[in-house]
Amino acid sequence: MTVPQPIAGAQRVGEVVLAVENVSLSFGGVKALVEVSFDVREHEVRAIIGPNGAGKSSMLNVLNGVYHAQKGTIRLRQGAAWREFHDMDSHEAAALGIARTFQNIALFKGMTVLDNIMTGRNLKMRCNFLQQALWAGPAKKEELAHRRAAEEIIDFLEIQHIRKTPVGRLPYGLQKRVELGRALAAEPTLLLLDEPMAGMNLEEKQDMCRFVLDVNDHYGTTIVLIEHDMGVVMDISDRVVVLDYGRRIADGTPDEVRSNQAVIDAYLGVAH
Amino acid sequence: MLYREAGQFKSTYAQDQQIFPILQDRVAIAILLAVAFLLVPAFGNQYWLGAILTPFLIFSLAALGLNILTGYAGQLSLGTAAFMAVGAFMTYNFVLRIPGIPILAAFVLAGLCAAAVGIVFGLPSVRIKGFYLAVATLAAQFFVLWVLQRVGWFSNYSTSGVITAQEIAILGYRFDTPAKKYLLTLAVVAAMALLAKNLMRSETGRAFMAVRDMDVAASVVGIPMMKTKLLAFAISSFYAGVAGALHAFTYLGTVEPEAYSLDLSFRILFMVIIGGVGSILGSFLGAGFIILFPIFLNLASGWVSGLFGVEISFAVVSNLEVIIFGGLIIFFLIAEPHGLARLWQIAKEKLRLWPFPH
Ligand SMILES: Nc1ncnc2c1ncn2[C@@H]1O[C@H](COP(=O)(O)OP(=O)(O)OP(=O)(O)O)[C@@H](O)[C@H]1O
Ligand SMILES: [Mg+2]
């Protein structure tokens, strides 16, 4: 029941905390991912880029158990120990501290902004439904404590004015922001963002960039981000992995990736 | 200008999380409860208490139960009447077979039986949704009635499965008049509505709505899908079960399994649709509307025939009733899925601005 506390001091990229090894996923004949491997280091902003249909979203979906890879392993560091998964389950992923946003916003449309963000905290709530129905001491206290934590996120994302608005009535850019809020509410150690800035205007993009960097800076959250806007990717990410037709074609710092011939070819559509 | 929150500042989240954050609402609900508990039983006549208000409260409770499942958790059910039947028949059996059991304990135990049946018939919801789930709950409707008719134990081997509710007494105080039965019903329904409201504004309610709105995202934030859906079935059926117990014990007195037919399940579904899907207040509005509307129509046809000197036959009135209900249900489904409760909310929003247009 802690309010997210900033980790003291600047944190820079640490050890590997997530390793994806030889993951393959196909839908019928469509090979969405072919033997993909890459790793993510603690506190880093890791970008996944690639042309449309490259398998980026599928990769995130495998990471938190929305899709189930046919082959490969995901290894996740928990403190000093490693845990190995062949098949992640989304509930388990959430319990392990993985939160995410979706490419096509997946908010709870009929609920208010505040309630959406509160759902992000559900795993931290301990009272059972009988206590909640009675609204008795502990349930009420718990609800209030989590409300406070949710309000911190609302303040951080500057969405105080819409906290009681059903999200279905909000414009696209704000919905994206609320979805980030719901993910942050879980106080994740690993945050997966699927095109958080897609479809936004310049100002909204700048705000979103600021939020993502702040989260990374302030709470030390490790971030895996899919983004099409190359300017954004080059600006905010530490390392970039490039997918094309489900395969990893490059992996490195933004500068390395930018000058990689395979990447240039993939983006220019050079025939294979 | 009378109805507004201007000047009512909330300085703590606790104040903001009250059920009725606006003073006028708190006053209104206090007056309503005072009237319902004090004035109505003192001055209401037998007909109104026994034949209108008591069933109104009971059907509100059943609609509330269905609303928790369908409106909040998004799982369509056509088995509400069956769960009511379980509540009615099990209360009868608990009172019959456990001498001296307090009636409220029997209601709760019967509600738990209904919840158990609800969980069993809710199991398909883990795999299927929407229309197909509705068909699966239809199985509950037919299976439960079939068992109650076939297995004599449930009706204590009475011919044709009819049961006669035992006398109700709490601590020796007998609830034997319509006014007393009304009061008991009111107390149970008010308490359960409050519990439902609390539950729906807590984590459980949010989990229900999350599963309703977007199930993939719900599991991604860590909401356990199966547990949440089955809990919704359990709680909903518990409410229906207690409503069924009241239906037999404070309203009808004698019931047979056929009273809890698919017809009744649909009536309760209509209450939810007309009153407001996903609204506790709406459950009451919907029940009130469906119970009062035929009475109003009868009165109105009396006035019309009085005014114009034409005789309107009973058949015409009941046909009219069906036509108007059908029309209203289509209207609400298409134009205002949140039903009367939403209309009421819009009216309140207008009132906040009144008398200024903007
Ligand atoms: N649920 C699914 N069923 C069938 N095919 C799928 C499914 N999800 C993804 N695919 C296919 O897998 C491939 C990779 O899709 P994915 O969504 O991962 O691409 P992406 O890199 O995120 O693309 P975009 O930039 O357009 O978002 C595509 O060919 C897509 O059609
Ligand atoms: Mg994608």
Side-chain angles (χ1 to χ4, degrees):
Chain A
M1 164 148 350
T2 48
V3 170
Q5 288 299 323
I7 299 170
Q11 39 227 286
R12 268 340 300 167
V13 176
E15 296 297 304
V16 171
V17 285
L18 169 75
V20 174
E21 287 160 8
N22 303 316
V23 163
S24 297
L25 168 76
S26 50
F27 299 98
V30 180
K31 289 183 174 154
L33 296 169
V34 186
E35 300 280 326
V36 175
S37 302
F38 69 98
D39 60 26
V40 179
R41 294 170 175 277
E42 194 169 14
H43 308 313
E44 95 175 317
V45 177
R46 182 69 146 130
I48 302 178
I49 64 169
N52 286 350
K56 307 179 295 294
S57 298
S58 301
M59 190 65 243
L60 287 200
N61 283 333
V62 167
L63 279 183
N64 78 333
V66 177
Y67 290 170
H68 303 283
Q70 280 99 3
K71 264 177 62 189
T73 21
I74 297 165
R75 295 196 301 128
L76 198 66
R77 207 183 73 190
Q78 293 282 294
W82 283 89
R83 295 197 48 186
E84 202 173 295
F85 299 89
H86 294 283
D87 196 6
M88 185 73 92
D89 157 86
S90 25
H91 183 258
E92 189 170 17
L96 288 167
I98 305 178
R100 78 170 283 183
T101 65
F102 291 82
Q103 182 170 353
N104 310 308
I105 302 171
L107 283 169
F108 307 124
K109 290 253 163 17
M111 299 164 68
T112 63
V113 168
L114 180 62
D115 279 347
N116 265 275
I117 291 176
M118 289 288 277
T119 57
R121 300 192 67 79
N122 79 90
L123 283 174
K124 299 181 182 304
M125 298 208 167
R126 294 278 165 267
C127 287
N128 63 37
F129 77 95
L130 289 174
Q131 291 169 307
Q132 290 171 5
L134 292 172
W135 199 248
K140 190 173 168 185
K141 243 171 71 190
E142 184 175 65
E143 187 74 17
L144 270 179
H146 288 287
R147 169 80 190 266
R148 244 173 249 125
E151 290 287 345
E152 296 230 339
I153 288 160
I154 288 174
D155 287 345
F156 170 69
L157 295 174
E158 298 157 15
I159 46 178
Q160 298 91 338
H161 57 296
I162 50 165
R163 59 157 78 76
K164 294 284 176 73
T165 311
V167 292
R169 288 197 217 156
L170 294 176
Y172 181 82
L174 279 177
Q175 291 198 12
K176 283 258 177 199
R177 212 186 276 192
V178 175
E179 203 188 13
L180 175 64
R182 183 180 68 190
L184 289 178
E187 298 170 35
T189 49
L190 177 61
L191 182 58
L192 314 174
L193 303 175
D194 197 344
E195 306 199 12
M197 293 144 212
M200 289 187 163
N201 63 32
L202 186 61
E203 196 182 335
E204 290 173 325
K205 268 190 191 173
Q206 284 170 344
D207 281 340
M208 191 52 105
C209 271
R210 180 161 55 86
F211 294 134
V212 170
L213 286 176
D214 274 357
V215 169
N216 177 244
D217 239 42
H218 219 61
Y219 304 117
T221 313
T222 308
I223 293 171
V224 178
L225 162 103
I226 298 175
E227 187 46 57
H228 277 295
D229 185 322
M230 280 308 137
V232 169
V233 171
M234 298 300 151
D235 272 359
I236 71 173
S237 50
D238 296 300
R239 290 191 298 154
V240 184
V241 56
V242 190
L243 299 181
D244 189 25
Y245 291 103
R247 293 170 198 274
R248 186 187 77 175
I249 57 165
D251 188 353
T253 63
D255 284 332
E256 287 165 9
V257 162
R258 190 171 12 201
S259 51
N260 182 308
Q261 194 55 43
V263 177
I264 296 169
D265 290 349
Y267 272 90
L268 293 177
V270 170
H272 292 238
Chain B
M1 286 272 274
L2 284 173
Y3 181 81
R4 60 189 302 186
E5 66 260 62
Q8 301 181 26
F9 298 109
K10 289 159 240 160
S11 53
T12 66
Y13 295 133
Q15 282 171 7
D16 192 42
Q17 284 178 326
Q18 295 174 91
I19 296 182
F20 299 107
I22 298 179
L23 177 69
Q24 285 89 333
D25 281 344
R26 285 199 293 276
V27 173
I29 197 76
I31 293 175
L32 185 69
L33 283 176
V35 169
F37 273 102
L38 302 173
L39 289 187
V40 169
F43 298 105
N45 68 31
Q46 297 246 335
Y47 171 71
W48 269 87
L49 286 168
I52 295 172
L53 291 175
T54 302
F56 156 68
L57 290 167
I58 291 167
F59 286 118
S60 297
L61 188 64
L64 175 54
L66 180 60
N67 219 334
I68 289 172
L69 183 64
T70 302
Y72 283 91
Q75 312 296 309
L76 188 54
S77 163
L78 294 176
T80 317
F83 303 130
M84 289 178 72
V86 173
F89 278 76
M90 287 315 291
T91 307
Y92 169 76
N93 277 289
F94 281 122
V95 175
L96 181 74
R97 293 168 208 281
I98 307 178
I101 188 178
I103 188 74
L104 292 179
F107 284 170
V108 171
L109 287 174
L112 291 177
C113 292
V117 176
I119 289 175
V120 171
F121 284 95
L123 279 172
S125 70
V126 176
R127 277 300 166 82
I128 55 178
K129 296 182 195 176
F131 175 72
Y132 297 97
L133 178 61
V135 174
T137 59
L138 208 54
Q141 178 64 50
F142 290 115
F143 181 77
V144 167
L145 288 208
W146 181 80
V147 169
L148 291 180
Q149 284 159 347
R150 286 308 168 86
V151 182
W153 184 86
F154 288 105
S155 56
N156 202 22
Y157 306 99
S158 82
T159 46
S160 71
V162 180
I163 56 169
T164 302
Q166 297 91 338
E167 218 170 49
I168 314 172
I170 295 178
L171 300 173
Y173 182 81
R174 298 205 344 234
F175 290 83
D176 49 8
T177 65
K180 288 175 185 166
K181 286 178 176 169
Y182 159 83
L183 267 176
L184 179 65
T185 311
L186 177 65
V188 171
V189 173
M192 287 181 71
L194 178 64
L195 294 181
K197 181 69 196 175
N198 283 340
L199 199 57
M200 291 307 114
R201 62 184 174 140
S202 313
E203 189 43 42
T204 305
R206 287 191 295 268
F208 285 0
M209 292 186 274
V211 167
R212 170 195 71 191
D213 284 354
M214 175 92 40
D215 50 1
V216 174
S219 20
V220 165
V221 297
I223 292 168
M225 198 58 44
M226 179 160 140
K227 186 189 146 205
T228 306
K229 284 181 176 174
L230 294 184
L231 183 63
F233 268 97
I235 293 173
S236 163
S237 314
F238 179 86
Y239 272 69
V242 174
L246 291 170
H247 187 252
F249 277 72
T250 65
Y251 174 41
L252 289 182
T254 41
V255 289
E256 51 189 350
E258 287 76 16
Y260 301 99
S261 63
L262 182 60
D263 225 43
L264 183 61
S265 287
F266 269 113
R267 260 170 81 88
I268 294 163
L269 182 61
F270 294 159
M271 291 177 191
V272 170
I273 292 171
I274 290 182
V277 176
S279 157
I280 291 183
L281 172 70
S283 313
F284 286 85
L285 296 179
F289 187 86
I290 289 207
I291 288 181
L292 289 179
F293 186 72
I295 298 171
F296 168 78
L297 210 61
N298 259 323
L299 285 177
S301 72
W303 297 330
V304 170
S305 41
L307 265 180
F308 300 104
V310 281
E311 202 51 48
I312 302 179
S313 76
F314 180 73
V316 171
V317 174
S318 57
N319 277 335
L320 212 58
E321 188 187 317
V322 174
I323 292 168
I324 295 177
F325 271 147
L328 277 173
I329 285 158
I330 293 168
F331 166 78
F332 277 114
L333 278 177
I334 294 172
E336 192 47 82
H338 296 288
L340 291 173
R342 174 78 191 132
L343 296 182
W344 169 242
Q345 197 187 345
I346 292 172
K348 285 209 300 190
E349 274 165 23
K350 290 249 150 59
L351 260 181
R352 262 152 79 174
L353 301 176
W354 184 85
F356 306 110
H358 293 294

